Amino acid sequence: MSQKAPKPILSGQRLKTRKRDEKEKYDPSSFRDAIILGLNECSNDLEQVIKYLDTAGSRLDYRRYAEVLFDILFTGGQLAPGGLIVQDTDPTKPSRADICVFTAEKNVETLKAFYEVFFKLIRRYKYLERSFEDELQKILIYLKAYSEEERCKLAIITGLFLANGLCSAKILSSLFEQHVVKEGLSLEFSTIMFRTWLNEKDINSVSAAMKRSQIENRLLELFPINKRSQEAFLNHFQEAGLGPVANLQRVQQSAEVKKELQKDLTRMINDNEPIKEIIAHLKEYMAKHKLSDHEMVVLVWNTVMGTVEWNKKEELVAEQALKHLRNYCLLFTAVAKTEKSELNLMVRIQEYCYDNINFMKVFQKIIILFYKSEVLSEDVVLKWYRDSPSSKGKGIFVSQMKKFVEWLKSAEEESD
């Protein structure tokens, strides 16, 4: 039986490594030194800075060292955890750049020019967008490490970033960190930032940006816990000349209050609680939160109509709706105390019947029910008939109401 001889093995065999498989050593210090040197050679000329950053990206790894790059552009140096500048062990090497946001003049025009540095850099290297937002969010967490003047400059340029859409309002979530809020730094920063933002854009744009990032309902958290109240918020921003921010919070708070009230009313209706108890709870809530009757009457309508699963057959839904609403006429009477609230209710009924096709023929019957139950007055019905503020199904419903309105007018003439 023959045996195979083992294959010979070369001693000292070397495997050739492909260049693409060789990992380059992570060296943020060398990258930092190169950026600081390049910026310092620009002699505080922002146009030169823009040109330098544009060309340096071809030889320096911006993608890998994006965090260090933005640290330097904002603060002048590489940040250590906590927000302090990392000091180089070699005294001959500068640890900070001469030109950055923190060394710029504290005025909007100068910082607008510095905004262009970030804008043109990110436009040239699109892959930096995400890193820029992440880094700004991190820098805001370290507010305590900066001087008052540095925080002011950072707040102004952040307002410019937000106004021009260079980052999302998600970065503001850093301001809700407890250690920043506790020192009053979040409130100080946000006041300056909102002032800059509103000088560039209107409050609707500001509100929309915060809503997209789901922080519009967290503004009260900018205040330290021992000072956190709706009244304190409104007073602070009114006194700071930022009435639109105060109004935005007022609207947001009102929406939260209404949502809670609607939840309570739904539960009470579903539990068949006595109508008197529902009215008492509603009035108490309105008084406590200073809610207007013309807003509440719409909320009551939405709540009452939302507690029923309506019949899908048009010929049966009218009877079902009138039977249900008859039980809550006293509730509507309790809240519809003014002409404005009654008209709001009529318009809401009009739009509801138009949006729910099975109710198209029920509108007139609901209005007559509410008229007989003294929820709606004759004057309001006639005013709606002459000029309804809503165009939804207006022609159809006016036609439905024609005979009833003629009866009202004739009855009024007989009375005169």
Side-chain angles (χ1 to χ4, degrees):
M1 190 172 177
S2 62
Q3 290 184 342
K4 272 191 174 182
K7 291 182 179 180
I9 301 173
L10 292 172
S11 60
Q13 183 181 5
R14 296 177 64 186
L15 297 174
K16 190 175 181 181
T17 308
R18 292 183 181 182
K19 191 172 183 179
R20 69 186 182 195
D21 293 333
E22 293 177 4
K23 288 188 177 180
E24 187 182 345
K25 181 184 175 184
Y26 181 68
D27 188 9
S29 297
S30 296
F31 178 86
R32 177 201 63 189
D33 294 343
I35 292 292
I36 290 176
L37 179 64
L39 291 176
N40 287 349
E41 288 176 351
C42 293
S43 304
N44 289 324
D45 184 339
L46 290 182
E47 286 299 323
Q48 289 297 318
V49 170
I50 291 170
K51 288 178 183 176
Y52 165 71
L53 292 173
D54 183 62
T55 56
S58 60
R59 54 188 175 78
L60 297 176
D61 194 347
Y62 283 176
R63 190 186 298 273
R64 194 175 193 195
Y65 300 108
E67 182 178 352
V68 181
L69 174 63
F70 288 121
D71 277 354
I72 295 169
L73 291 178
F74 277 109
T75 69
Q78 183 183 354
L79 292 182
L84 297 176
I85 301 291
V86 175
Q87 299 297 319
D88 201 293
T89 53
D90 185 349
T92 62
K93 292 181 180 178
S95 298
R96 295 187 75 163
D98 297 332
I99 184 167
C100 63
V101 170
F102 281 3
T103 59
E105 290 183 27
K106 193 179 72 172
N107 62 67
V108 176
E109 291 309 312
T110 301
L111 291 166
K112 274 186 178 180
F114 223 107
Y115 161 83
E116 290 296 319
V117 173
F118 289 96
F119 171 71
K120 289 180 178 177
L121 173 64
I122 292 170
R123 188 177 63 178
R124 174 69 175 83
Y125 299 99
K126 293 287 286 183
Y127 58 79
L128 289 175
E129 284 181 351
R130 178 65 183 273
S131 300
F132 169 71
E133 191 161 301
D134 291 344
E135 187 60 17
L136 180 54
Q137 194 166 349
K138 182 200 81 176
I139 287 172
L140 294 185
I141 291 176
Y142 299 149
L143 286 180
K144 192 175 179 180
Y146 317 139
S147 69
E148 184 179 348
E149 186 171 302
E150 289 170 343
R151 289 195 299 268
C152 179
K153 295 171 187 176
L154 184 58
I156 292 171
I157 202 165
T158 301
L160 295 172
F161 292 148
L162 290 165
N164 292 284
L166 199 59
C167 64
S168 73
K170 185 181 76 171
I171 57 120
L172 299 180
S173 60
S174 297
L175 298 180
F176 305 125
E177 293 289 329
Q178 193 53 47
H179 69 279
V180 187
V181 173
K182 186 179 179 182
E183 300 290 332
L185 301 179
S186 296
L187 185 58
E188 171 198 272
F189 181 93
S190 61
T191 303
I192 299 167
M193 178 206 68
F194 277 127
R195 184 177 291 115
T196 306
W197 196 352
L198 285 171
N199 283 339
E200 301 292 317
K201 298 289 182 180
D202 62 23
I203 191 62
N204 294 327
S205 175
V206 173
S207 175
M210 291 195 293
K211 193 170 186 178
R212 282 194 296 272
S213 299
Q214 299 180 331
I215 64 166
E216 81 283 4
N217 59 348
R218 298 189 65 188
L219 294 182
L220 206 57
E221 295 175 38
L222 294 169
F223 280 72
I225 293 177
N226 61 337
K227 298 178 181 177
R228 191 175 296 170
S229 71
Q230 178 78 347
E231 186 179 359
F233 186 101
L234 300 180
N235 288 341
H236 173 82
F237 283 99
Q238 290 284 7
E239 289 171 7
L242 294 169
V245 177
N247 291 335
L248 182 64
Q249 173 62 17
R250 189 181 286 111
V251 170
Q252 184 61 39
Q253 184 69 14
S254 178
E256 292 295 320
V257 167
K258 289 174 188 175
K259 187 177 178 181
E260 190 63 32
L261 175 58
Q262 190 164 18
K263 187 177 175 182
D264 288 349
L265 292 179
T266 300
R267 176 186 55 77
M268 296 175 85
I269 290 171
N270 287 335
D271 292 345
N272 292 316
E273 293 194 21
I275 195 72
K276 287 184 179 179
E277 291 184 16
I278 298 176
I279 291 171
H281 179 73
L282 176 62
K283 285 186 173 180
E284 182 184 347
Y285 214 89
M286 287 175 66
K288 180 180 177 182
H289 297 284
K290 299 177 182 177
L291 301 172
S292 61
D293 55 356
H294 62 269
E295 291 177 301
M296 287 300 97
V297 75
V298 173
L299 182 142
V300 169
W301 169 268
N302 292 339
T303 307
V304 168
M305 298 301 281
T307 57
V308 178
E309 190 171 335
W310 299 107
N311 201 302
K312 290 184 171 57
K313 294 183 179 180
E314 187 179 350
E315 61 272 17
L316 298 177
V317 81
E319 184 181 347
Q320 184 188 12
L322 294 175
K323 183 179 178 182
H324 179 63
L325 288 170
R326 197 172 284 114
N327 295 329
Y328 296 99
C329 283
L330 286 176
L331 181 58
F332 285 104
T333 306
V335 72
K337 292 288 189 181
T338 63
E339 185 177 290
K340 185 176 181 179
S341 60
E342 290 180 35
L343 187 59
N344 270 18
L345 176 58
M346 274 202 78
V347 171
R348 181 66 192 109
I349 297 169
Q350 172 190 343
E351 292 177 345
Y352 182 90
C353 291
Y354 179 80
D355 293 335
N356 297 272
I357 194 166
N358 288 344
F359 280 81
M360 288 293 283
K361 295 179 181 178
V362 190
F363 176 78
Q364 177 204 25
K365 295 176 181 178
I366 294 173
I367 299 303
I368 292 174
L369 169 66
F370 280 175
Y371 172 76
K372 290 181 177 178
S373 304
E374 298 184 350
V375 176
L376 298 173
S377 65
E378 177 183 328
D379 290 342
V380 168
V381 174
L382 293 174
K383 185 174 183 178
W384 172 89
Y385 185 79
R386 286 193 302 270
D387 186 23
S388 170
S390 176
S391 60
K392 286 190 173 183
K394 186 174 178 180
I396 298 169
F397 298 135
V398 165
S399 179
Q400 280 185 26
M401 293 293 294
K402 186 176 181 181
K403 287 185 179 179
F404 180 65
V405 168
E406 286 175 354
W407 177 82
L408 284 178
K409 288 179 177 178
S410 63
E412 187 179 8
E413 287 170 3
E414 288 177 12
S415 175
D416 291 343

